[in-house]
Amino acid sequence: MFELLIGTSGYDYPEWKGVFYPADLKRKDFLLYYSTVFNALELNNTFYNMPTSERLVSFWERSEGRLNFSVKANRLLTHEISASWKAAADDFKNAVTPLQEKDALSAVLFQFPESFHYTKENRIYLAKLIEDFEGFPVMVEFRHREWVRPSVFEGLEERKAGIVFCDMPRLKNLPDGKTLQTTFVGKNAYIRLHGRNAGAWYAHAPGAQMSITSTHANDAQAAYAHAPGAQMSITSTHANDAQAAYAHDAENNGSARYCYDYSDSELEEFVPVVRQALSEGKRVQMFFNNHPNGNGARNAKKMRELIEKNSALQKLFHLIQKWFSCCLSFEIIIHILSCKERYSW
């Protein structure tokens, strides 16, 4: 029995009112409404503030137990690592344990920054970190292409951890779908869609206006070469014209880079990736991090629709195939019986 979890990275966005949430919905009711549409949620506020078990359980209660939660690791474990990281790890584990006990913890997401390079020191730290979280569904996201290599896949699999399949712009240091492959490691196929807003990815100046040159090199499909057990990180330099008007605000935590609206054709690129992972018995988790303007919520709904439509067509195809097979078998039986009557004496 396959399992497909689809949702967004975060949910508490007031600008989603009238786009995803009903215009008159109170903010306190956002989570409950969200849980009636999606079956999974990636919690990102845990990155900025160390969560407590009470806080995380409240998410489960307010969603009436409908959601599976992927909880992003606190910055003290990925971006601001110090000698006392184990204390932070203990605090984080204590916070997520109740969700694990309720079978509502789908992943603990460790998203490392681009500055986290493939060095001996960092490899040792990562190994110790994963070991410290033994028993938890650990997923690791790398933002530097140096980490995308078979030895890393093998190391993660040996430690029962998984790697995140990212969709992001094709830029110098980010994993490039044309030349690098990201394999789904372990029981989970974790897909995180950040958008393809290349022009704003490195623009951090508060109040700066994004100036995007749309090269529209929409060749992600051509770059995608599926091999059994391995999926390519699909990327594109395509940029929506609307993104050029999106100004970065310091309070948005760099959200300008995630301002991107996937087209239906771009979303369809992921259908075979999801189907292959499900056929391999993976638990697929798919989260849209392109939250500005409600794009992530809209894209997540459309993605689910495309997958369900494809699954329905596959079922219809198999039914037709089975029907033809039955008809052929019936014809063969009739033929054999007629031959028997013709040549019997």
Side-chain angles (χ1 to χ4, degrees), residues 7 15 20 112 135 184 204 215 221 239 242 272-273 298:
E15 71 268 24
F20 172 69
F112 288 94
F184 288 135
H204 298 299
T215 58
Q221 186 66 27
V273 178
R298 281 197 306 270

Side-chain angles (χ1 to χ4, degrees), residues 68-273:
N68 291 271
F69 294 93
S70 171
V71 186
K72 188 174 179 180
N74 189 263
R75 55 194 168 83
L76 297 178
L77 298 172
T78 57
H79 288 60
E80 301 171 20
I81 305 166
S82 69
S84 59
W85 68 266
K86 281 202 170 186
D90 289 340
D91 290 340
F92 197 86
K93 286 185 292 184
N94 290 335
V96 299
T97 293
L99 287 181
Q100 173 118 314
E101 293 172 344
K102 295 178 183 298
D103 197 28
L105 181 68
S106 64
V108 174
L109 172 64
F110 292 95
Q111 180 209 303
F112 288 94
E114 190 176 315
S115 58
F116 189 75
H117 291 279
Y118 182 77
T119 64
K120 181 179 180 180
E121 181 182 10
N122 286 341
R123 295 199 300 274
I124 292 174
Y125 170 73
L126 181 59
K128 290 181 178 179
L129 180 67
I130 294 173
E131 181 182 2
D132 202 66
F133 276 80
E134 184 178 2
F136 290 92
V138 171
M139 300 301 302
V140 182
E141 176 180 347
F142 299 110
R143 290 287 180 91
H144 202 291
R145 59 187 294 156
E146 294 173 344
W147 290 91
V148 184
R149 58 179 71 198
S151 60
V152 173
F153 304 153
E154 293 167 7
L156 290 172
E157 190 158 27
E158 288 174 4
R159 294 167 175 81
K160 298 181 179 180
I163 190 169
V164 175
F165 177 112
C166 286
D167 185 71
M168 55 180 64
R170 183 174 296 123
L171 295 170
K172 181 179 178 180
N173 294 324
L174 302 183
D176 183 344
K178 278 193 170 181
T179 57
L180 302 177
Q181 289 187 326
T182 303
T183 183
F184 288 135
V185 176
K187 299 178 180 179
N188 287 281
Y190 199 110
I191 304 171
R192 206 163 184 237
L193 296 95
H194 298 295
R196 301 170 179 180
N197 194 348
W201 194 262
Y202 294 117
H204 298 299
Q209 190 76 13
M210 299 301 102
S211 178
I212 299 175
T213 301
S214 177
T215 58
H216 202 86
N218 193 11
D219 53 0
Q221 186 66 27
Y224 173 73
H226 180 75
Q231 285 75 31
M232 194 161 289
S233 177
I234 302 173
T235 55
S236 172
T237 53
H238 169 73
N240 296 27
D241 291 340
Q243 293 162 357
Y246 191 90
H248 176 79
D249 189 327
E251 294 180 359
N252 288 333
N253 298 310
S255 63
R257 65 167 54 174
Y258 303 120
C259 185
Y260 190 86
D261 188 8
Y262 285 92
S263 67
D264 289 357
S265 61
E266 288 172 327
L267 293 175
E268 286 171 355
E269 296 168 6
F270 295 94
V271 173
V273 178

